[in-house]
Amino acid sequence: MEVLDQFHGRNFSVYNADCVEFAAGLPDNSIDFTVYSPPFSNLFVYSDSERDMGNAADDAEFFEHYKYLLRDLFRATRPGRLSAVHISDLPLTKWKDGRIGIKDMSGMVIRAHEECGWVLHSRITIWKCPVVEMTRTKAHGLLYKTLCNDSARSRAGMPDYLLIFRKDGENDKPIGHKPADFPVDLWQKWASPVWMDIQQTNTLNVKAARESKDEKHICPLQLDLIERALIMWSAPGDTVYSPFTGIGSEGYMSIKLGRKFIGTELKPSYFRQAVGYLQSAESQPADLFAEGAA
């Protein structure tokens, strides 16, 4: 395995390395929880590295590479524990796909996991404002004039999904919660199959942009979504892994919530930013139940 750089804090280790090669070296049953957002096939190009999954020629090539990672994540995850994957379906475009519609990216991710041994545990829809999507993408299906001209071409907005996968087996490290810390009304809110209150702009690069001129990560994961997943499906002291660390969002929240973090990031500029943000999180007092206590 080629590691270009690495940094170790008290409660984290992050590597500038290829996640597929790195995951192949993880010990069996060593990871308590995984949370990340993978490349959305070849939608974005993050680097010119041949190891970058976003450089895939098509979906078939992307999933061929992705399943190498999924198989080793399955092996390295403790029995009975979980992996949370943030994903969205993708628009089909006339110029690229020859037709207009929606590509079932979330379904393809589910099938890839199942082929590698995972069991689909939960599927949560993350609400997103269709007006913001229309303004950002100018998608014809969301334009009001399309509705007026021919509503057969109109469509609903596209949400995000958080897909939770389980490695079957007995969990010998139960994740317990006390009613005083996790009241029933909070559970009823989080048990909803649709999370309506994830703040789309609550991302690490938005916070960092106020203080830094570092390169922005194209699509960082929302901090409140990461926080909720960590509280639900991991415990303080657990080892959390993110194969696509980016600028360190999953690690930042893991450390703030008293977890240990391992991350891999292929792009050197993102890796350097992640080191800074993880050090910043480690310098702050751990907040073991930030959202639930609010």
Side-chain angles (χ1 to χ4, degrees), residues 7-9 11-15 22 245 260-264 278:
F7 192 91
H8 305 276
N11 294 299
F12 73 87
S13 293
V14 62
Y15 301 86
F22 182 87
T245 293
K260 301 181 186 301
F261 179 73
I262 300 173
T264 46
L278 296 177

Side-chain angles (χ1 to χ4, degrees), residues 229-256:
L230 288 167
I231 292 171
M232 278 281 289
W233 297 300
S234 73
D238 275 357
T239 297
V240 176
Y241 175 51
S242 174
F244 305 100
T245 293
I247 60 172
S249 303
E250 296 93 345
Y252 183 86
M253 291 308 302
S254 295
I255 294 167
K256 284 179 64 67

Side-chain angles (χ1 to χ4, degrees), residues 42-291:
N42 57 0
L43 180 63
F44 299 114
V45 176
Y46 294 94
S47 73
D48 58 3
S49 171
E50 62 182 8
R51 291 180 166 90
D52 191 334
M53 286 191 197
N55 285 337
D58 52 30
D59 293 336
E61 184 176 294
F62 169 78
F63 279 100
E64 178 185 359
H65 295 167
Y66 186 36
K67 282 187 280 190
Y68 282 111
L69 173 66
L70 296 183
R71 283 188 283 267
D72 275 312
L73 286 183
F74 181 80
R75 176 189 54 77
T77 299
R78 298 176 68 90
R81 287 304 193 96
L82 307 163
S83 177
V85 182
H86 168 265
I87 197 67
S88 176
D89 292 332
L90 302 177
L92 296 171
T93 60
K94 195 75 172 178
W95 68 270
K96 184 177 181 180
D97 306 290
R99 61 197 188 282
I100 295 175
I102 294 175
K103 182 188 300 184
D104 183 23
M105 186 69 178
S106 58
M108 290 189 283
V109 168
I110 291 172
R111 290 187 287 275
H113 276 76
E114 290 175 339
E115 289 175 22
C116 296
W118 295 94
V119 177
L120 180 63
H121 180 72
S122 187
R123 177 178 178 141
I124 300 161
T125 301
I126 311 297
W127 182 85
K128 292 165 62 179
C129 177
V131 176
V132 172
E133 180 186 343
M134 179 273 296
T135 303
R136 181 175 60 84
T137 67
K138 301 297 188 289
H140 290 292
L142 292 175
L143 296 176
Y144 183 65
K145 67 178 183 181
T146 301
L147 176 76
C148 295
N149 293 335
D150 180 7
S151 62
R153 299 178 64 85
S154 296
R155 65 166 175 84
M158 296 174 63
D160 289 343
Y161 299 102
L162 191 64
L163 305 175
I164 315 302
F165 299 95
R166 188 183 76 253
K167 179 177 178 177
D168 215 3
E170 188 68 26
N171 177 22
D172 61 3
K173 291 174 58 181
I175 304 168
H177 292 285
K178 297 179 180 178
D181 296 327
F182 204 135
V184 66
D185 58 340
L186 182 65
W187 163 239
Q188 290 170 346
K189 174 183 175 183
W190 287 13
S192 170
V194 181
W195 287 353
M196 301 289 296
D197 56 345
I198 298 298
Q199 302 176 57
Q200 294 299 307
T201 58
N202 184 20
T203 60
L204 191 56
N205 72 340
V206 169
K207 294 178 180 294
R210 300 170 185 160
E211 307 169 356
S212 171
K213 295 181 180 179
D214 283 338
E215 177 184 0
K216 283 190 176 182
H217 188 211
I218 294 174
C219 49
L221 196 49
Q222 288 76 28
L223 297 178
D224 43 349
L225 187 152
I226 299 168
E227 177 187 64
R228 194 172 297 190
L230 288 167
I231 292 171
M232 278 281 289
W233 297 300
S234 73
D238 275 357
T239 297
V240 176
Y241 175 51
S242 174
F244 305 100
T245 293
I247 60 172
S249 303
E250 296 93 345
Y252 183 86
M253 291 308 302
S254 295
I255 294 167
K256 284 179 64 67
L257 291 170
R259 279 69 171 163
K260 301 181 186 301
F261 179 73
I262 300 173
T264 46
E265 174 52 43
L266 185 63
K267 190 170 183 175
S269 60
Y270 288 172
F271 166 80
R272 291 191 292 270
Q273 291 180 68
V275 169
Y277 298 141
L278 296 177
Q279 287 180 297
S280 173
E282 200 162 61
S283 69
Q284 304 169 27
D287 191 352
L288 297 185
F289 201 76
E291 182 171 340

